[in-house]
C-alpha cells in the first residue's frame, strides 16, 4: 500500500478548515422536528443542502441485548435468523437489509483481476447484534462481527434497501476492535454491470484494515486498482488526527457531494478526493469482513474482529419515486449546529414572499451565497443566488452562484 506524504501546506489548510468548522456555537438555534425542515445544510468548507434526514440510535437498546456465538457450519450461517426483534422492527427494516450472500460465485470466476480471495466467506445475520457497553454499564451498541472458522470466514453486512441515494452526509460513532486480517467499512456503492466490469463500479469508502497500524484509516473512490497497477489518485492512507486509534470511539463522517468525497473525524476535516467521485444513485452499506485476499489479509483460525456502532445519522438526497420534496428548501435546518444529537435545529426561515410572486429564479424563497450550489438534478436547496451573483451551469448535477 502507498502512504500519503502530505505536505506541510496541506496540513496547514486542513487545520485552518477545521478551525472554521468549529467556530460556530452550538445551541444558537431552536430545536425542531424533521417535519418542519425543507432541507438540511451541512457545515463543510462550503455549504451543501440535502432533502432528508435519518437517525439510528443503538445506545439504549438493553431489551435487545443478545451476544451470539459464531455458527460453525457454513450453510447455517446464511440461514440464521436475526439476533433480536429490533432487526425485525420498522425502525430498522424500512431502511436497512441484513445480508446473507457468500463469495462462492466470485471464487468460481477464478479471476484475480476481479477478486483475489483465498477463503470462502459468508455474511450471516448471526453476526450483527446488540450488546452492552461494559465501560458505562447502562448503554448499548450494535456489533458487526467477522470470525475465522476452520475452512471459511463468517462476516457481517447490511445495506440500504434503497439504491437511490445520490449525495449525502453520513456519520457514525464507532470503533473497530480485534485481530489482524479484517476490514470494517462505511461506504456508498453502485455495482458494475457485471463482475467483469469492475472499472465501472462507483464507490466511496471509509475503511479500517486491522492489519494496518492502529492509527491508519483508508479513504477511497473506487476503483483503486486495475489489471496493471494501483491507482494512487483514488486512495488516501491517512493517520488519524490527535494520536487517535481506530480502537477508540470516534465520530466518522463522509460527505458525498457533486465532484468529490470528503471525510471527517470528530468534526475535523481529514481528507478529500475529487478523482472519480461517484456520480449516480447508490446504496449505503456497512460491513465487517475478511476473505484471505490481499486487501483484508489473513485471520488465524478462531480469531475475530468487529466494528461497534453507537449511532448512525445521515442527511441525503434520494432519487426513488415519491421521495422528492415539494416546494423546495423553505425552512433550512442543520444537524451540525444542534445541542441534541439526532434532533435538527432550524437555522433559516425565509421571509414571506409578497402575494403574486416575487423572489424570481428559483424555489423555496432562499438564496445561495457566492460559490454555493444553486441548481442540478435532484437538487433541493436554494435555487436563487445572492445579489450580484448568477446561477451558472457546470454540469447536469451542479450549478454554482458566480
Amino acid at each position: 500500500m502507498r502512504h500519503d506524504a502530505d505536505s506541510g501546506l496541506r496540513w496547514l489548510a486542513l487545520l485552518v478548515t477545521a478551525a472554521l468548522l468549529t467556530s460556530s456555537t452550538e445551541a444558537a438555534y431552536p430545536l425542531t422536528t424533521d417535519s418542519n425542515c425543507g432541507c438540511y445544510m451541512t457545515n463543510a468548507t462550503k455549504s451543501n443542502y440535502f432533502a432528508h434526514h435519518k437517525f439510528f440510535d443503538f445506545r439504549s437498546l438493553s431489551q435487545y441485548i443478545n451476544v451470539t456465538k459464531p455458527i460453525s457450519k457454513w450453510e447455517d450461517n446464511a440461514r440464521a435468523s436475526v439476533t433480536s426483534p429490533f432487526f425485525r422492527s420498522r425502525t430498522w427494516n424500512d431502511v436497512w437489509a441484513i445480508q446473507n450472500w457468500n463469495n462462492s460465485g466470485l471464487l468460481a470466476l477464478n479471476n484475480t483481476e476481479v477478486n483475489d480471495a483465498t477463503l470462502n466467506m459468508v455474511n450471516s445475520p448471526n453476526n450483527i447484534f446488540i450488546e452492552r457497553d461494559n465501560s458505562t454499564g447502562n448503554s448499548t451498541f450494535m456489533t458487526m462481527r467477522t470470525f475465522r472458522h476452520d475452512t471459511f470466514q463468517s462476516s457481517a453486512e447490511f445495506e440500504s434497501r434503497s439504491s437511490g441515494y445520490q449525495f449525502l452526509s453520513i456519520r457514525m460513532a464507532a470503533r473497530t476492535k480485534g485481530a489482524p486480517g479484517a476490514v470494517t467499512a462505511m461506504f456508498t456503492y453502485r455495482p458494475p454491470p457485471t463482475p467483469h466490469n469492475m472499472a465501472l463500479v462507483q464507490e466511496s469508502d471509509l475503511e479500517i484494515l486491522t492489519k494496518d497500524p492502529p492509527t491508519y484509516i483508508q479513504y477511497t473512490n473506487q476503483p483503486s486498482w486495475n489489471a496493471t497497477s494501483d491507482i494512487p489518485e483514488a486512495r488516501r492512507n491517512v493517520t488519524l488526527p490527535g494520536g487517535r486509534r481506530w480502537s477508540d470511539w470516534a465520530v466518522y463522517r463522509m460527505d458525498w457531494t457533486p465532484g468529490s468525497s470528503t471525510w471527517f473525524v470528530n468534526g475535523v476535516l481529514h481528507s478529500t478526493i475529487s478523482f472519480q467521485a461517484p456520480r449516480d444513485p447508490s446504496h449505503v452499506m456497512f460491513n465487517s469482513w475478511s476473505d484471505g485476499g490481499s486487501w483484508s489479509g489473513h485471520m488465524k483460525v478462531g480469531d475475530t474482529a468487529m466494528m461497534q456502532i453507537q449511532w448512525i445519522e445521515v442527511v441525503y438526497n434520494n432519487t426513488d419515486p415519491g421521495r422528492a420534496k415539494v416546494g423546495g428548501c423553505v425552512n433550512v435546518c442543520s444537524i451540525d449546529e444542534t445541542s441534541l444529537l439526532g434532533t435538527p435545529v432550524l437555522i433559516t426561515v425565509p421571509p414571506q414572499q409578497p402575494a403574486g410572486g416575487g423572489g424570481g429564479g428559483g424555489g423555496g424563497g432562499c438564496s445561495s451565497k457566492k460559490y454555493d450550489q444553486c441548481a442540478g438534478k435532484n437538487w433541493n436547496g436554494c435555487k436563487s443566488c445572492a445579489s450580484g451573483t448568477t446561477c451558472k451551469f457546470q454540469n447536469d448535477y451542479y450549478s454554482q452562484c458566480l
Side-chain angles (χ1 to χ4, degrees), residues 349-353 365:
V349 181
Q352 184 69 36
Q353 291 294 325

Side-chain angles (χ1 to χ4, degrees), residues 70-203:
I71 296 174
S72 59
K73 292 184 178 180
W74 163 267
E75 60 274 12
D76 290 343
N77 273 274
R79 293 198 294 251
S81 299
V82 296
T83 58
S84 79
F86 174 76
F87 298 109
R88 290 191 291 269
S89 68
R90 289 196 62 183
T91 299
W92 176 267
N93 266 333
D94 282 357
V95 180
W96 305 111
I98 293 176
Q99 301 298 291
N100 65 352
W101 60 269
N102 65 70
N103 68 347
S104 57
L106 288 173
L107 289 173
L109 294 175
N110 196 27
N111 184 346
T112 57
E113 293 181 15
V114 175
N115 185 276
D116 68 351
T118 62
L119 190 66
N120 285 294
M121 183 197 77
V122 58
N123 288 294
S124 178
N126 183 65
N127 285 331
I128 300 178
F129 48 84
I130 304 297
E131 68 174 297
R132 187 177 305 281
D133 185 349
N134 291 322
S135 65
T136 65
N138 296 320
S139 62
T140 56
F141 49 75
M142 179 177 66
T143 293
M144 302 181 69
R145 174 181 63 202
T146 183
F147 182 84
R148 177 65 157 90
H149 301 266
D150 288 339
T151 59
F152 69 95
Q153 187 87 23
S154 64
S155 295
E157 181 173 278
F158 64 88
E159 69 178 28
S160 61
R161 293 191 179 275
S162 169
S163 59
Y165 290 87
Q166 190 171 33
F167 310 127
L168 54 76
S169 176
I170 188 165
R171 305 97 187 274
M172 66 172 177
R175 66 184 179 187
T176 292
K177 302 179 72 176
V183 181
T184 64
M186 174 177 75
F187 58 107
T188 65
Y189 182 69
R190 184 180 179 89
T194 72
H196 294 282
N197 299 120
M198 292 306 295
L200 300 180
V201 70
Q202 295 184 48
E203 181 176 343

Side-chain angles (χ1 to χ4, degrees), residues 159-396:
E159 69 178 28
S160 61
R161 293 191 179 275
S162 169
S163 59
Y165 290 87
Q166 190 171 33
F167 310 127
L168 54 76
S169 176
I170 188 165
R171 305 97 187 274
M172 66 172 177
R175 66 184 179 187
T176 292
K177 302 179 72 176
V183 181
T184 64
M186 174 177 75
F187 58 107
T188 65
Y189 182 69
R190 184 180 179 89
T194 72
H196 294 282
N197 299 120
M198 292 306 295
L200 300 180
V201 70
Q202 295 184 48
E203 181 176 343
S204 186
D205 291 339
L206 181 159
E207 293 179 290
I208 291 168
L209 279 61
T210 59
K211 68 180 182 180
D212 277 352
T215 57
Y216 280 11
I217 190 167
Q218 304 273 352
Y219 303 127
T220 313
N221 282 341
Q222 299 285 2
S224 60
W225 53 275
N226 54 36
T228 59
S229 65
D230 287 343
I231 305 173
E233 301 93 337
R235 175 174 293 138
R236 303 285 186 272
N237 187 338
V238 188
T239 301
L240 287 165
R244 186 163 290 276
R245 295 168 174 252
W246 35 255
S247 56
D248 300 324
W249 288 111
V251 176
Y252 297 97
R253 169 178 167 184
M254 182 174 72
D255 286 12
W256 167 35
T257 54
S260 68
S261 302
T262 306
W263 295 268
F264 304 77
V265 178
N266 288 341
V268 177
L269 175 63
H270 206 207
S271 190
T272 297
I273 303 176
S274 297
F275 179 76
Q276 63 187 22
R279 303 173 305 280
D280 299 315
S282 302
H283 283 282
V284 177
M285 303 181 71
F286 296 77
N287 60 20
S288 178
W289 62 277
S290 177
D291 64 4
S294 59
W295 183 242
S296 67
H298 295 263
M299 297 186 77
K300 296 178 181 178
V301 173
D303 276 354
T304 190
M306 61 199 72
M307 178 163 64
Q308 298 170 331
I309 305 174
Q310 294 177 331
W311 53 262
I312 297 168
E313 188 166 25
V314 58
V315 289
Y316 61 96
N317 294 332
N318 192 287
T319 61
D320 290 348
R323 297 305 303 271
K325 281 192 174 180
V326 177
C329 188
V330 179
N331 294 340
V332 181
C333 294
S334 171
I335 62 170
D336 297 314
E337 307 299 333
T338 187
S339 59
L340 182 62
L341 179 66
T343 302
V345 291
L346 188 62
I347 63 174
T348 302
V349 181
Q352 184 69 36
Q353 291 294 325
C366 61
S367 297
S368 296
K369 63 181 182 291
K370 189 175 183 180
Y371 303 123
D372 278 0
Q373 186 172 357
C374 52
K377 287 185 179 180
N378 309 309
W379 173 245
N380 291 297
C382 301
K383 296 180 180 178
S384 60
C385 291
S387 177
T389 64
T390 303
C391 193
K392 299 286 188 181
F393 177 85
Q394 306 293 322
N395 57 56
D396 287 346

